[in-house]
Amino acid sequence: MSKSWYILQVFTGYEQKIENTLKRLLANGELDSNVLTDVRVPMETVLVERKNEKTGKTTLVERKAKVLPGYVMVEMDLPELGWKVTCNAIKRIQGVNGFLGVSERPRPISTEEVKRVFQVSGDLKSEKKSKVKRSFEVGEHVKITEGPFSTFDAVIEEISSDMTKLKVTVQIFGRATPVELECTQVSKI
């Protein structure tokens, strides 16, 4: 059989602990490294707004977030005979609920699904952008923090569907001027 990726369902918050446990079991030889070849908890970079309590200014902070909370991806080369030994050893780990999509034998996920998850996490080379976790609304007043219009106040006229770009109106010499900006270039007032 060939290597395939499988999804392991775990208790939420235990993802890193399960990943470390599986890697330790592989290193100690308690799990066959020819069967279990890789373990990953896919992470993505997100930008989160943080408001400074003293100054009241909002800044963006990068942090890592799990792409699949409550799941661990494992790459395995399951043999036709003896696959139960490895799967049962993995399922006995505290915090593991079992394999996703199991009737009898675990089913691998498709290569398209693997590609999509790894593109989000940045493990595959693609045009990766950090997600911005912000909540803007049309009509909201914001302050431009970067670019030629920095320090100007603006009103949001339109928000892109992926929440990365804003069309705002800036008052320049008494005239309303439309400007397109990245979400990272503005902060809430």
Side-chain angles (χ1 to χ4, degrees):
M1 184 134 194
S2 64
K3 292 181 184 178
S4 299
W5 285 96
Y6 298 82
I7 301 286
L8 193 60
Q9 188 175 14
V10 300
F11 295 165
T12 304
Y14 278 60
E15 298 89 353
Q16 262 72 38
K17 183 178 180 182
I18 303 297
E19 178 185 28
N20 294 337
T21 301
L22 286 169
K23 287 181 177 179
R24 184 177 43 79
L25 291 173
L26 279 170
N28 294 343
E30 295 175 47
L31 286 175
D32 188 356
S33 61
N34 293 324
V35 176
L36 180 65
T37 56
D38 198 0
V39 180
R40 293 190 195 176
V41 177
M43 304 288 275
E44 66 181 326
T45 303
V46 295
L47 296 172
V48 181
E49 285 184 335
R50 290 271 163 83
K51 189 168 186 175
N52 187 322
E53 301 273 329
K54 294 178 182 175
T55 64
K57 287 188 177 183
T58 304
T59 58
L60 288 176
V61 178
E62 272 192 13
R63 76 174 184 91
K64 293 285 190 177
K66 295 174 190 84
V67 175
L68 302 168
Y71 298 96
V72 174
M73 293 183 67
V74 291
E75 185 181 41
M76 297 191 295
D77 188 3
L78 285 181
E80 290 300 319
L81 300 171
W83 61 268
K84 284 186 179 182
V85 174
T86 302
C87 291
N88 287 336
I90 292 171
K91 286 193 278 187
R92 279 195 302 267
I93 297 171
Q94 185 178 2
V96 174
N97 292 331
F99 287 92
L100 199 62
V102 171
S103 52
E104 176 64 25
R105 181 184 168 107
R107 291 190 188 134
I109 60 174
S110 69
T111 54
E112 292 81 31
E113 290 172 311
V114 173
K115 207 179 275 188
R116 188 171 58 241
V117 170
F118 287 156
Q119 280 177 340
V120 169
S121 69
D123 291 338
L124 276 183
K125 300 294 181 213
S126 69
E127 202 173 300
K128 185 187 161 226
K129 291 184 180 178
S130 296
K131 285 188 180 176
V132 178
K133 289 207 173 182
R134 290 185 159 191
S135 54
F136 289 117
E137 294 178 16
V138 173
E140 185 175 8
H141 291 270
V142 293
K143 180 171 274 315
I144 301 174
T145 58
E146 295 177 15
F149 300 105
S150 62
T151 72
F152 278 78
D153 290 343
V155 177
I156 297 174
E157 298 296 327
E158 191 178 312
I159 303 170
S160 68
S161 60
D162 60 354
M163 289 289 293
T164 57
K165 294 192 183 251
L166 302 171
K167 284 190 181 175
V168 299
T169 303
V170 180
Q171 290 291 328
I172 302 174
F173 304 119
R175 292 181 138 184
T177 306
V179 177
E180 189 171 306
L181 300 168
E182 298 282 328
C183 285
T184 57
Q185 293 179 294
V186 299
S187 66
K188 292 186 177 191
I189 295 179

